[in-house]
Amino acid sequence: MIAIVVPLVWLGWLILTEWVPMYPLNDLAPGNLRHRMLAASINYPFPLLIAGGVALHQTWSLIAATALCVLVLIGHVQSWWVPYFGTATPEQRETYVRDYSRTLKIIPTEGHDVVIDVQHLVVGVLSLLMFGTTLAATLAG
């Protein structure tokens, strides 16, 4: 049951932080509406498919749900942790400056072009939790 609920919590967190103004947790400037709509159309199906795959509780659906969790984790790492520890692309720096540079951060910012804010740290923790619970459901299968 937890493996069904966690993806829905992940989705709820995304919806909350992408559409409800809570500055400095998020920065919902009118200029980033198009970007938020695109991100929603890409990201929102994942937790629904993961929760559905776990709920079906078939071998194929559990494996598919786990694979989707891996894709979510890869996307998160590529979008936030690689630019933080490595070299950010010009597009990542531009998006960061436009949408996230004024949001709340708790990790060191000095010397980094892109810094993961609290909003996305929570996404990362929930992504790991989603993967762990889905993997456990798959292995228990």
Side-chain angles (χ1 to χ4, degrees):
M1 182 57 103
I2 292 172
I4 296 170
V5 172
V6 171
L8 300 177
V9 170
W10 187 88
L11 175 60
W13 176 255
L14 287 182
I15 291 170
L16 178 69
T17 58
E18 290 174 354
W19 299 105
V20 178
M22 296 180 291
Y23 186 81
L25 184 62
N26 59 13
D27 186 8
L28 303 184
N32 66 16
L33 178 61
R34 183 170 182 261
H35 174 73
R36 289 187 287 134
M37 289 175 59
L38 177 61
S41 68
I42 293 168
N43 292 323
Y44 292 4
F46 279 91
L48 297 174
L49 291 169
I50 292 165
V54 174
L56 281 176
H57 204 70
Q58 300 294 314
T59 301
W60 68 268
S61 68
L62 291 167
I63 291 170
T66 303
L68 289 174
C69 286
V70 169
L71 290 176
V72 166
L73 280 172
I74 290 170
H76 179 73
V77 168
Q78 183 65 30
S79 296
W80 289 101
W81 292 101
V82 168
Y84 180 73
F85 285 113
T87 305
T89 66
E91 181 181 281
Q92 287 170 322
R93 284 191 296 274
E94 178 186 325
T95 299
Y96 173 76
V97 167
R98 182 186 65 235
D99 297 338
Y100 305 111
S101 63
R102 295 170 299 279
T103 57
L104 182 63
K105 293 157 193 69
I106 59 173
I107 63 174
T109 59
E110 188 173 332
H112 299 279
D113 291 336
V114 172
V115 179
I116 304 102
D117 58 5
V118 170
Q119 171 187 357
H120 290 93
L121 283 173
V122 172
V123 169
V125 169
L126 289 172
S127 296
L128 284 171
L129 186 59
M130 183 168 60
F131 171 71
T133 58
T134 302
L135 182 61
T138 301
L139 295 175

